[in-house]
Amino acid sequence: MDWWKDAIIYQIYPRSFQDSNGDGVGDIPGIISRLDHLQELGVDAIWLSPVYQSPNADNGYDISDYREINPEYGTMEDMEELIAQAKSRGIRILMDLVINHTSTDHYWFRQSRDRTSPYADYYYWSHGGPDGTLPNNWTGFFGEDCWEFDPQRCEYYLHLFAKSQADLNYHNPAVLEEVKDILRFWLDKGVAGFRCDVINILWKDSLDSSKKKLSLTGSEHYLTLEGTHDILRQLRAILDEYGAFTVGEAVCVTPETARALCGRDRHELDMVFSFEHMDCDQYKVKWIKRKFRPKVFFDCLTRWQRELDWNALYLENHDQPRSIPRFGSVRYWKESGKLLATLLLTLRGTPFLYQGQEIGMLDFDFQRIRQLNDVESKNVDRLLRRFHVPQKLRWRIISRTSRDNARTPFQWTAERGAGFSDARPWLGINHNCERINLAAQEEDPRSVWSWYKDLAALRREREVLRRGEFVPMEAAPPLFAYRRRLGEEQLTVLLNFSDDPTRVSVQGSLLRSNYPRERFEGVLQPWEAVILE
Ligand code: TEU
Ligand code: CA
């Protein structure tokens, strides 16, 4: 039943994975052509970022038809072929379920602009305050206001994300019925479940203004409320008819509120992506970077390992800059890339690998804002310009955090186009593809790719890595040490998050090291990862 406790799941951002028809945009036939790569890596399931009909204001997270495939990515037949081809390789497909909002191009929204239509209150509409002020003082996720005036309906509609992503109003029961039909549509096609986009903010309990905050003013009116739990329980009932899986992206959750979303007894989600460990190199908001603090990172991971029975484990995704520059070391690119792989694949929970992580891809090498695509980055640039922040400082703030850092095309080969496309790619390819690419690593037993493949096999072979309990160990940073225990079986993991050799007093027989060595004598080399029996 819970196949996902033994699985490694791989996230594909379809736009940037593989172009098959020479238009510079990744597509579904391209993904099909690369399934052997995923099978060799040892992937058990694929989370596919949205491929539905969309005007691409937020690259598919603004859906205009949940039952149609965006022609840029291919046809419904291509999608059905992908499900079948993946299945023939023992790989499940998870779709991205984006139901907090739809695109303003969606039929429902276009109808909703007529207040006499049956779709009139599928969304949150409001007259706004006296003398034309906005309905409330909430601030959104993309640094914009949360209300956009619609000249046809002459009212404002709520959008917590981009203005073309209108929030659905679940106070209207018809909305949840529509979502249930969408779930069934995809489950009937044979998908194994869903990654659920910002799933803990669905229910808004009021549209009242609230105390100003540095970010997300008004979030107490929608963060993980009882109304959302009720929606999730109703969706779970349908998912259970199919034995389907869900991982929820849960913003601003603590272990306690996460447990309320994915505890076994809750019958809501199977697991959640939380954000706390990703906040360890930023100050309150992600645009204000600070020096990475290993101790905070280790303590956070330890707390989540101990306080949740099951975690969704990730260090990268399509919203986050690459992990080696953040939590590892570009100077020790290979060693720290393999160390972070070891962390991801030996903690307790389901590991999620983001495309390119398996070959140690790094952030983009863009020089100016016009090379960016991400709506969030462009909104923040506009906001900073309004505050007269000089161009150089704007670029410094945005380039370090922009989600485009993780969205550059996959680097398959060293050639021009990186084996991704023969056409001009929709987003620039990092020039380091001459050095960092799959072809250069496939035959190298010491490469990052080979290390991921080997650890995935080790995880499949050793049940203690999949099901064992997490046992923290006393260790001072830069050392992160823990054990996995199942009955009599125990493995010790030692990770040196530093450029300096680090002595440890732990003994054991060497099972793996990311350095060539026969035995372990108590000293970890810079960014060395060791697994001991
Ligand atoms: O992300 C929601 C979200 O909270 C992230 O955008 C987060 O705020 C930040 O970017 C990372 O700290 C989901 C999707 O993953 C994202 O791509 C979409 O833009 C967003 O929802 C709206 O659908
Ligand atoms: Ca294409």
Side-chain angles (χ1 to χ4, degrees):
M1 188 56 183
D2 46 11
W3 59 271
W4 36 269
K5 284 198 166 181
D6 299 313
I8 293 174
I9 302 180
Y10 187 94
Q11 180 193 357
I12 289 179
Y13 194 70
R15 218 169 176 75
S16 304
F17 192 63
Q18 178 64 62
D19 175 20
S20 72
N21 62 343
D23 64 357
V25 178
D27 47 55
I28 295 169
I31 296 172
I32 293 172
S33 74
R34 293 291 186 179
L35 284 175
D36 291 343
H37 162 67
L38 299 178
Q39 188 172 17
E40 191 187 348
L41 178 54
V43 160
D44 302 288
I46 292 168
W47 152 26
L48 190 57
S49 274
V51 289
Y52 318 102
Q53 187 66 280
S54 162
N56 283 333
D58 188 15
N59 291 344
Y61 284 93
D62 51 316
I63 297 170
S64 54
D65 189 332
Y66 290 86
R67 295 178 178 79
E68 288 296 335
I69 300 296
N70 182 332
E72 276 188 313
Y73 297 135
T75 63
M76 184 56 84
E77 290 66 35
D78 291 328
M79 187 64 228
E80 289 160 353
E81 175 69 4
L82 171 59
I83 295 168
Q85 288 273 359
K87 196 172 196 144
S88 70
R89 290 170 172 79
I91 297 175
R92 290 173 165 91
I93 296 289
L94 305 174
M95 296 300 270
D96 207 317
L97 188 69
V98 185
I99 54 173
N100 174 67
H101 47 269
T102 73
S103 165
T104 48
D105 278 9
H106 197 287
Y107 173 75
W108 300 340
F109 186 83
R110 286 187 279 111
Q111 296 302 309
S112 174
R113 298 176 68 190
D114 165 4
R115 75 179 74 215
T116 66
S117 99
Y119 297 89
D121 56 0
Y122 267 44
Y123 300 86
Y124 291 98
W125 290 95
S126 169
H127 288 295
D131 54 60
T133 53
L134 296 178
N136 64 28
N137 67 346
W138 295 6
T139 52
F141 285 79
F142 286 169
E144 280 183 279
D145 291 328
C146 291
W147 295 93
E148 181 69 12
F149 186 74
D150 176 57
Q152 180 182 329
R153 179 159 168 163
C154 291
E155 285 187 302
Y156 293 90
Y157 64 86
L158 176 69
H159 63 89
L160 292 178
F161 290 92
K163 59 172 172 290
S164 63
Q165 293 170 293
D167 281 61
L168 284 166
N169 169 14
Y170 284 90
H171 293 257
N172 177 352
V175 170
L176 187 53
E177 291 316 304
E178 299 270 13
V179 166
K180 289 175 180 176
D181 291 347
I182 292 165
L183 234 55
R184 290 187 194 285
F185 176 85
W186 285 104
L187 290 167
D188 288 339
K189 288 217 176 283
V191 301
F194 301 93
R195 175 268 184 181
C196 307
D197 191 59
V198 275
I199 200 64
N200 63 316
I201 66 171
L202 299 182
W203 185 265
K204 283 76 175 177
D205 67 0
S206 103
L207 298 177
D208 295 344
S209 284
S210 49
K211 204 163 63 64
K212 226 41 194 140
K213 289 193 297 181
L214 180 66
S215 76
L216 298 183
T217 298
S219 62
E220 67 274 20
H221 290 301
Y222 56 77
L223 272 184
T224 323
L225 301 179
E226 189 44 41
T228 291
H229 289 299
D230 178 55
I231 292 166
L232 293 178
R233 280 193 288 273
Q234 292 191 53
L235 299 182
R236 174 88 267 169
I238 295 173
L239 292 155
D240 281 350
E241 289 170 32
Y242 297 79
F245 163 83
T246 50
V247 51
E249 180 198 33
V251 291
C252 311
V253 284
T254 61
E256 185 191 5
T257 50
R259 269 198 305 276
L261 287 164
C262 66
R264 299 311 304 151
D265 56 331
R266 300 286 297 171
H267 305 297
E268 296 184 25
L269 300 164
D270 289 311
M271 61 186 81
V272 296
F273 290 126
S274 60
F275 284 79
E276 201 178 326
H277 64 296
M278 300 301 263
D279 295 349
C280 293
D281 63 349
Q282 51 199 47
Y283 186 74
K284 292 203 185 307
V285 292
K286 65 178 194 174
W287 301 96
I288 306 173
K289 301 300 277 186
R290 68 191 306 175
K291 190 171 173 338
F292 171 58
R293 299 164 291 159
K295 173 141 182 51
V296 175
F297 187 65
F298 303 159
D299 291 351
C300 173
L301 289 173
T302 299
R303 187 154 25 85
W304 281 83
Q305 285 282 300
R306 302 184 72 174
E307 296 191 19
L308 251 68
D309 174 57
W310 201 262
N311 281 273
L313 307 168
Y314 77 101
L315 294 173
E316 295 194 11
N317 63 37
H318 64 295
D319 291 333
Q320 299 285 343
R322 293 285 181 178
S323 57
I324 292 174
R326 288 178 78 179
F327 313 126
S329 153
V330 176
R331 183 173 158 220
Y332 287 88
W333 165 78
K334 180 183 287 192
E335 292 76 10
S336 70
K338 292 159 83 170
L339 175 139
L340 292 173
T342 312
L343 175 69
L344 184 70
L345 293 169
T346 59
L347 283 175
R348 177 181 162 86
T350 302
F352 284 75
L353 209 42
Y354 176 64
Q355 70 179 49
Q357 188 176 348
E358 75 270 36
I359 57 171
M361 274 179 68
L362 297 172
D363 293 332
F364 60 50
D365 55 355
F366 298 151
Q367 305 301 320
R368 56 191 62 79
I369 189 90
R370 70 163 175 270
Q371 293 174 278
L372 297 189
N373 163 276
D374 179 14
V375 59
E376 180 187 45
S377 304
K378 292 178 176 177
N379 282 357
V380 170
D381 185 54
R382 201 169 34 251
L383 186 71
L384 292 172
R385 258 211 305 272
R386 269 215 300 271
F387 288 96
H388 309 299
V389 175
Q391 194 277 339
K392 265 199 178 8
L393 178 54
R394 291 205 313 269
W395 176 243
R396 188 171 142 71
I397 291 170
I398 287 166
S399 60
R400 293 166 60 178
T401 300
S402 171
R403 302 187 299 176
D404 282 334
N405 277 302
R407 300 177 178 184
T408 59
F410 192 102
Q411 294 164 197
W412 298 99
T413 68
E415 280 108 50
R416 254 177 70 79
F420 164 72
S421 174
D422 302 333
R424 179 182 158 76
W426 73 282
L427 187 69
I429 292 168
N430 194 311
H431 292 90
N432 68 16
C433 76
E434 288 118 42
R435 183 167 52 84
I436 299 177
N437 63 75
L438 177 67
Q441 296 188 26
E442 273 176 322
E443 309 312 322
D444 171 2
R446 310 227 28 89
S447 68
V448 174
W449 149 256
S450 296
W451 181 260
Y452 267 100
K453 201 169 84 170
D454 174 53
L455 277 200
L458 183 67
R459 195 181 161 87
R460 225 183 344 275
E461 178 199 322
R462 303 297 296 269
E463 188 183 7
V464 63
L465 285 178
R466 285 177 281 114
R467 302 290 182 127
E469 64 170 314
F470 171 89
V471 181
M473 289 167 68
E474 275 306 306
L479 176 65
F480 189 32
Y482 52 89
R483 291 194 164 108
R484 298 295 306 278
R485 190 178 293 154
L486 186 68
E488 294 310 304
E489 206 182 349
Q490 172 176 288
L491 294 181
T492 300
V493 180
L494 306 173
L495 306 171
N496 176 12
F497 276 75
S498 81
D499 291 0
D500 309 310
T502 302
R503 177 172 299 285
V504 294
S505 56
V506 179
Q507 301 301 319
S509 76
L510 181 66
L511 186 61
R512 287 292 187 285
S513 167
N514 59 348
Y515 275 75
R517 60 158 80 245
E518 294 306 313
R519 68 188 63 74
F520 180 64
E521 283 119 353
V523 177
L524 291 168
Q525 293 309 308
W527 298 96
E528 182 168 12
V530 156
I531 305 175
L532 302 175
E533 289 268 16

